[in-house]
Amino acid sequence: MCKGLQQGRNASSSCLKEGGFSLSSNATRGSGLVKCELCKSRASLYCQADDAYLCRKCDKWVHGANFLAFRHIRCFLCNTCQNLTQRCLIGASHEVLLPTM
């Protein structure tokens, strides 16, 4: 279980670790750190359309390039365990909670 869930954080920021989602080979073994595909700093978002983990700076650069990329849905990573969360970003700054199925 994610430490963030154990500390009683709200449901909108909880990770989906128990839902069976796992990180790709991008995660560093042992530390659980997921690196940005472009700059190798700590990733904070995952874009399924691009199949890429990105930090906020690189996400803004990549998804600000054109109107099609701007519409990609990117999911935030849990700050504690680096797994996908239910919080997603569409466009520049609109955070939404997508229903889980």
Side-chain angles (χ1 to χ4, degrees), residues 3-4 8 13 18 34 42 54 64 69 79 100:
K3 292 178 185 175
S13 64
E18 292 183 5
V34 180
R42 183 181 175 126
L54 301 167
N79 290 332
T100 56

Side-chain angles (χ1 to χ4, degrees), residues 16 21 85-86 97-101:
L16 299 174
F21 293 97
T85 66
Q86 294 176 351
L97 180 65
L98 297 178
T100 56
M101 294 182 193

Side-chain angles (χ1 to χ4, degrees), residues 3-36:
K3 292 178 185 175
L5 289 176
Q6 292 173 343
Q7 294 172 357
R9 296 188 181 160
N10 65 26
S12 66
S13 64
S14 64
C15 76
L16 299 174
K17 190 170 185 176
E18 292 183 5
F21 293 97
S22 62
L23 300 173
S24 70
S25 60
N26 190 14
T28 305
R29 297 202 190 278
S31 69
L33 179 68
V34 180
K35 295 181 179 179
C36 175

Side-chain angles (χ1 to χ4, degrees), residues 3-91:
K3 292 178 185 175
L5 289 176
Q6 292 173 343
Q7 294 172 357
R9 296 188 181 160
N10 65 26
S12 66
S13 64
S14 64
C15 76
L16 299 174
K17 190 170 185 176
E18 292 183 5
F21 293 97
S22 62
L23 300 173
S24 70
S25 60
N26 190 14
T28 305
R29 297 202 190 278
S31 69
L33 179 68
V34 180
K35 295 181 179 179
C36 175
E37 305 280 344
L38 300 176
C39 70
K40 304 301 181 205
S41 64
R42 183 181 175 126
S44 58
L45 295 162
Y46 173 72
C47 177
Q48 185 175 6
D50 294 328
D51 190 24
Y53 293 92
L54 301 167
C55 67
R56 291 297 295 257
K57 179 182 172 185
C58 292
D59 174 71
K60 185 176 179 179
W61 180 73
V62 168
H63 291 100
N66 61 55
F67 76 97
L68 291 175
F70 187 70
R71 297 184 336 184
H72 287 177
I73 298 171
R74 287 100 65 206
C75 292
F76 284 96
L77 300 179
C78 177
N79 290 332
T80 306
C81 67
Q82 290 272 275
N83 281 324
L84 297 176
T85 66
Q86 294 176 351
R87 292 175 36 225
C88 294
L89 186 68
I90 302 172

